[in-house]
Amino acid sequence: MLGLMQSQPLLISSLVDHAEHHHGEGQIVSRRVEGDIHRYTWKDVAARARQVARALDGMNLMFSDRVATLAWNGYRHLELYFGVSGSGRVLHTINPRLHPDQIAWIANHAEDQVLCFDMTFLPLVQAIHARCPGIKAYVALCEPGKLPADSGIPNLLSYEAWMGAHPTTYDWPSFDENSASSMCYTSGTTGNPKAALYSHRSTILHAYAAALPDVMCLSARDSVLPVVPMFHVNAWGIPYSAALTGCKLVFPGPAMDGKSVYELLEEEKVTYAAGVPTVWQMLLGHMKPNNLRFSTLKRTVIGGSACPPAMINAFNDDYGVEVLHAWGMTEMSPLGTLCTLKNRHLNLPADEKMKIRLKQGRAIYGVDMKIVGDDGKELPWDGKAFGDLYVRGPWVVREYFKGEGGDPLVNGWFPTGDVATIDADGYMQITDRSKDVIKSGGEWISSIDVENIAMAHPAVQMAACIGMRHPKWDERPVIAVVKRPGAEVTRDELLKFYEGKTAKWQVPDDVVFVDAIPLGATGKMLKTRLREQLKDYKLPGT
Ligand code: AMP
């Protein structure tokens, strides 16, 4: 017997409809590429998203055709999120920090038909358009008066003229909720990138889950600043969850430096912010020397890379801001786990609570996870056994776009490429990317643990631990360190700092001071590149 409830497809257009009808006055504030602040409401987003949909119809774009963006976090990008997907096309957010060759490759692989871009990326578009014959129109996210006269880009339109020519009325089409809605290529440090192709259903389920109290805890009373880019896994789904909850959205545009982010947090009374550790590093680096405080910020979700304990401490102890450590990946829309305490942890001593907060957290309802040993057998949830982390769920990829890379699943589970422990309470902790794990004398050393200790030293701005070949132990850890400007620490002082904080054999053999740690397009440390940079390095005594 089937249930007798209504069946309505879960479609992204319903999110913006909801926001318009129930939170129409809710504000969207954006720092624009032009540098000024733009303000309007969810009502405006909805009206303009409908104009976008009409403009795409006017170009004769078919169902599922791809519309690409090269854009910062801002209101026009938000309109494209809803206008493109809501009208049945697929929004392809491209990471502008990728190499132009890779961007051209991605645009061709995705078969993008329209490319919308912020004017910051005009030189990038000029560099690639000749290699992207499939793109039939380029839309610059600006007023008509700002279009360059001689850009050399064919069919270049101004966004405002293009969509502004259409009425704000539009009936969103209804279709199968499993239809593709957006896509995002993985950063792929080896080989060509592969795309996760999200559906309306996966996006809406993820948006519901992301808003839950033990996840991002979003509400109509929040003012939310996603520093995490809208070109990286849909800004962790925040634009969708924001429409669902009606929270205020504050977009930083291209200005992600500590000073600009701090000003926006204060001026827009932001209660909740989300980003990768490197962004928060810049923010804290700006606040401390200037003796600044937060007046409204309560929570910040940090993910994308392991959050160093020193950062959790600084937010918590110095500024009274709760850090929520999150883990996920492009292939997971992206949220998998988030770290919040359980009721019975509340009275634990501070250092015990800290040990929990450092973990990547508990699985969100909708995500199943397991850890598996080298023999393929599932490992116990005891907080000690570590193995390859596998996930499954309705917002986890089943297959990459165009079947690239073959079937990624193993007995229905997606191998994340991360190595983790899970404790009896279900808290997962990443010890490494599987390719970054260091094996010394048959024992595994977690590079994240080694990095976290170095990061707690006041003179250290950033630290990356890699394994170096060793004739006796196979591999030994070495820590590459960027010093804080003006701060001093010697190799021996830093190695001494490890004493008592970890087992002796896990202390790195050496410290290499570097000017910068190479970062990938999403702000993650690129250890492959660091290894290349240090290819002539020799461990002391070898
Ligand atoms: P991406 O698909 O670019 O978002 O990268 C996903 C990968 O980032 C994961 O598989 C992890 O290796 C890493 N990652 C994400 N969040 C965290 C975290 N909180 N701690 C450690 N690694 C993380």
Side-chain angles (χ1 to χ4, degrees):
M1 186 161 66
L2 291 178
L4 293 176
M5 307 311 280
Q6 296 180 13
S7 172
Q8 280 166 4
L10 301 174
L11 299 177
I12 287 173
S13 53
S14 69
L15 291 174
V16 75
D17 262 354
H18 177 84
E20 178 181 37
H21 293 132
H22 300 280
H23 305 282
E25 302 311 314
Q27 280 192 69
I28 315 292
V29 179
S30 312
R31 194 193 291 280
R32 302 204 300 173
V33 171
E34 294 87 333
D36 60 343
I37 298 285
H38 173 274
R39 285 170 197 283
Y40 72 171
T41 64
W42 276 112
K43 211 176 248 175
D44 300 312
V45 180
R48 287 169 54 96
R50 291 192 290 266
Q51 288 179 291
V52 168
R54 277 192 180 260
L56 295 169
D57 287 358
M59 283 177 154
N60 292 324
L61 251 65
M62 307 303 284
F63 189 69
S64 292
D65 277 350
R66 267 76 71 200
V67 175
T69 60
L70 274 170
W72 302 110
N73 290 9
Y75 65 103
R76 291 177 177 128
H77 207 173
L78 186 69
E79 294 159 10
L80 287 162
Y81 262 52
F82 294 108
V84 172
S85 304
S87 65
R89 283 88 187 196
V90 176
L91 182 79
H92 172 204
T93 52
I94 305 180
N95 186 337
R97 295 189 187 123
L98 293 171
H99 190 277
D101 291 348
Q102 224 170 7
I103 293 180
W105 186 92
I106 283 176
N108 289 330
H109 188 263
E111 298 171 42
D112 294 333
Q113 304 230 12
V114 179
L115 173 60
C116 305
F117 63 97
D118 268 328
M119 287 302 274
T120 326
F121 306 118
L122 181 69
L124 187 51
V125 176
Q126 284 171 318
I128 62 161
H129 72 83
R131 282 179 275 166
C132 302
I135 300 183
K136 54 186 188 194
Y138 291 86
V139 180
L141 299 174
C142 66
E143 304 285 345
K146 294 265 164 50
L147 270 191
D150 48 0
S151 69
I153 300 170
N155 303 322
L156 179 63
L157 308 164
S158 116
Y159 179 79
E160 294 298 332
W162 171 65
M163 51 79 82
H166 297 275
T168 56
T169 53
Y170 184 75
D171 290 327
W172 294 113
S174 182
F175 42 79
D176 184 342
E177 63 184 20
N178 290 299
S179 307
S181 59
S182 68
M183 68 198 299
C184 189
Y185 280 74
T186 60
S187 15
T189 44
T190 51
N192 282 324
K194 300 192 281 285
L197 186 62
Y198 311 113
S199 70
H200 285 256
R201 174 186 157 82
S202 71
T203 304
I204 300 249
L205 292 178
H206 181 270
Y208 264 120
L212 283 171
D214 266 0
V215 189
M216 295 215 206
C217 191
L218 295 180
S219 82
R221 294 165 297 289
D222 275 310
S223 169
V224 177
L225 189 147
V227 191
V228 52
M230 289 167 81
F231 56 73
H232 186 212
V233 215
N234 299 327
W236 298 350
I238 290 174
Y240 305 117
S241 297
L244 181 146
T245 56
C247 62
K248 171 177 171 180
L249 269 178
V250 182
F251 289 127
M256 249 100 71
D257 60 288
K259 181 170 182 287
S260 307
V261 170
Y262 177 77
E263 282 171 7
L264 217 47
L265 288 168
E266 284 300 296
E267 278 159 24
E268 300 307 326
K269 300 193 171 26
V270 170
T271 53
Y272 178 75
V276 296
T278 33
V279 167
W280 302 128
Q281 197 87 24
M282 288 195 277
L283 178 70
L284 296 177
H286 168 70
M287 290 181 66
K288 210 166 181 128
N290 292 303
N291 263 325
L292 299 171
R293 315 287 311 162
F294 293 119
S295 41
T296 52
L297 189 68
K298 299 213 166 47
R299 314 185 303 289
T300 165
V301 65
I302 303 186
S305 315
C307 180
M311 186 174 283
I312 302 186
N313 278 331
F315 268 111
N316 192 60
D317 303 346
D318 302 347
Y319 300 105
V321 173
E322 185 185 11
V323 169
L324 305 168
H325 196 187
W327 167 84
M329 43 194 324
T330 307
E331 288 88 339
M332 299 177 69
S333 306
L335 291 176
T337 63
L338 202 124
C339 196
T340 53
L341 300 181
K342 290 183 175 177
N343 200 21
R344 68 186 188 77
H345 297 137
L346 296 180
N347 294 325
L348 287 176
D351 59 328
E352 291 295 314
K353 279 193 202 161
M354 183 61 173
K355 273 191 202 145
I356 302 173
R357 289 193 173 284
L358 269 181
K359 301 190 175 196
Q360 275 73 7
R362 293 180 279 128
I364 301 164
Y365 168 77
V367 175
D368 284 343
M369 57 184 187
K370 66 175 181 179
I371 42 174
V372 170
D374 287 343
D375 56 3
K377 292 218 174 76
E378 207 174 325
L379 294 166
W381 290 22
D382 59 8
K384 292 192 187 75
F386 54 88
D388 293 318
L389 179 65
Y390 285 72
V391 291
R392 64 179 182 192
W395 57 81
V396 178
V397 289
R398 180 178 74 225
E399 197 181 317
Y400 289 101
F401 181 54
K402 293 185 171 171
E404 289 297 341
D407 179 2
L409 305 189
V410 180
N411 299 325
W413 291 78
F414 179 77
T416 63
D418 288 323
V419 178
T421 61
I422 305 178
D423 70 19
D425 279 320
Y427 287 82
M428 184 275 286
Q429 183 160 29
I430 304 272
T431 57
D432 255 312
R433 280 301 285 169
S434 50
K435 58 185 184 308
D436 292 337
V437 175
I438 299 161
K439 204 165 185 191
S440 169
E443 298 286 345
W444 299 105
I445 296 177
S446 157
S447 65
I448 294 178
D449 286 350
V450 177
E451 285 156 11
N452 281 346
I453 295 174
M455 292 287 286
H457 192 285
V460 174
Q461 179 162 320
M462 201 182 271
C465 175
I466 53 174
M468 287 288 179
R469 284 264 139 252
H470 189 281
K472 179 170 178 196
W473 302 111
D474 238 2
E475 273 186 329
R476 286 296 300 153
V478 165
I479 186 104
V481 164
V482 181
K483 284 188 256 186
R484 278 188 197 284
E488 264 318 318
V489 59
T490 64
R491 167 190 184 274
D492 293 345
E493 281 164 356
L494 195 57
L495 293 181
K496 201 160 174 21
F497 189 67
Y498 277 86
E499 277 178 20
K501 297 189 176 75
T502 184
K504 260 202 179 122
W505 60 274
Q506 293 181 341
V507 176
D509 275 18
D510 199 10
V511 180
V512 183
F513 291 102
V514 291
D515 294 335
I517 308 274
L519 298 179
T522 53
K524 291 181 218 284
M525 295 192 282
L526 271 188
K527 294 199 180 171
T528 38
R529 189 138 340 134
L530 183 65
R531 278 190 203 102
E532 277 164 32
Q533 278 178 12
L534 300 180
K535 66 180 186 317
D536 297 328
Y537 168 89
K538 274 213 158 322
L539 275 171
T542 61

